[in-house]
Amino acid sequence: GDSVTQMEGPVTLSEEAFLTINCTYTATGYPSLFWYVQYPGEGLQLLLKATKADDKGSNKGFEATYRKETTSFHLEKGSVQVSDSAVYFCALRSNSGNTPLVFGKGTRLSVIA
Amino acid sequence: EADIYQTPRYLVIGTGKKITLECSQTMGHDKMYWYQQDPGMELHLIHYSYGVNSTEKGDLSSESTVSRIRTEHFPLTLESARPSHTSQYLCASSVPGGPYEQYFGPGTRLTVT
């Protein structure tokens, strides 16, 4: 079945450091891909998405590019802030059926001043 | 901003009590979901619904039950709460039409003593 694998955390960075959180997927066809963010005590928020190969999703300085050849959707940000401290989830939605999103296990990011 | 609501936000209750966690959305979404989130952050799909009078069990076996009598309302019920039910419960709904991204409520943190 479909699955998402993302790098294990926790990830700790200093403010203004470069961030990469790796995400790879297994799916048939051409799934849609998502990154969600969960701040402490809250639900998940959609951060960005991409629906076809080579699409780049971006929001709030975060970017991720849909790479079909490597089945990847890595999240990047050039300069993180303390306020980016949160848990990040990679997810996919298969286009082969009417199914719920498949989530990765989440990566906790802590940014220190 | 998605309009999806969960009540209560926090609940502490004794073993053996019956509880209902409420979830409502005002967006007219057909699809709704319940997730259980463990302390390690991982999300587990426990129930979903694709419309009125439609309910399905998710990937994680759960002693809870759900109902979908109205489009906007998707309550989750535990007939007899146990300490093993202590967790964060997240409700979500998804837009009609691709790519079906999901919008999440703020969650209910349940503690069973």
Side-chain angles (χ1 to χ4, degrees):
Chain A
D2 297 345
S3 66
V4 173
T5 302
Q6 60 181 104
M7 65 187 284
E8 292 188 18
V11 175
T12 302
L13 295 173
S14 298
E15 208 166 22
E16 299 183 1
F18 185 86
L19 168 71
T20 300
I21 301 178
N22 290 338
C23 172
T24 58
Y25 67 89
T26 301
T28 55
Y30 294 86
S32 297
L33 301 173
F34 308 87
W35 276 102
Y36 281 81
V37 59
Q38 185 179 29
Y39 298 103
E42 299 183 10
L44 277 69
Q45 299 176 22
L46 179 64
L47 182 59
L48 52 83
K49 65 184 178 186
T51 59
K52 60 183 187 295
D54 300 325
D55 265 2
K56 177 184 284 189
S58 62
N59 186 24
K60 299 181 182 179
F62 291 89
E63 293 182 342
T65 301
Y66 189 141
R67 300 289 188 199
K68 180 68 176 174
E69 64 276 13
T70 55
T71 62
S72 65
F73 193 55
H74 303 321
L75 182 69
E76 297 181 335
K77 186 175 185 184
S79 176
V80 293
Q81 304 300 312
V82 172
S83 57
D84 294 325
S85 298
V87 180
Y88 293 82
F89 292 90
C90 185
L92 71 82
R93 196 270 178 191
S94 171
N95 285 338
S96 63
N98 198 16
T99 56
L101 293 184
V102 175
F103 285 89
K105 293 185 177 182
T107 302
R108 185 180 299 278
L109 169 66
S110 296
V111 180
I112 54 176
Chain B
E1 194 74 19
D3 296 322
I4 181 163
Y5 308 98
Q6 291 186 244
T7 57
R9 290 293 313 276
Y10 303 92
L11 179 62
V12 180
I13 201 162
T15 297
K17 300 291 187 183
K18 178 180 179 179
I19 59 171
T20 297
L21 307 185
E22 301 287 349
C23 176
S24 296
Q25 49 94 7
T26 58
M27 299 168 286
H29 291 170
D30 286 339
K31 298 178 178 63
M32 296 188 73
Y33 313 86
W34 275 105
Y35 292 86
Q36 186 173 340
Q37 186 172 31
D38 61 31
M41 307 173 302
E42 189 171 358
L43 295 167
H44 302 284
L45 179 68
I46 51 175
H47 298 284
Y48 60 100
S49 167
Y50 284 167
V52 171
N53 295 326
S54 152
T55 61
E56 302 285 345
K57 291 188 180 296
D59 305 321
L60 180 68
S61 176
S62 174
E63 295 167 347
S64 58
T65 59
V66 293
S67 61
R68 191 84 184 279
I69 299 172
R70 304 197 315 266
T71 297
E72 64 272 20
H73 194 215
F74 190 42
L76 181 145
T77 298
L78 279 165
E79 290 293 333
S80 180
R82 296 209 299 265
S84 60
H85 296 139
T86 294
S87 191
Q88 168 93 325
Y89 292 85
L90 293 168
C91 180
S93 67
S94 63
V95 299
Y100 302 101
E101 63 258 38
Q102 292 177 194
Y103 292 94
F104 283 78
T108 294
R109 181 160 297 282
L110 172 65
T111 302
V112 183
T113 60

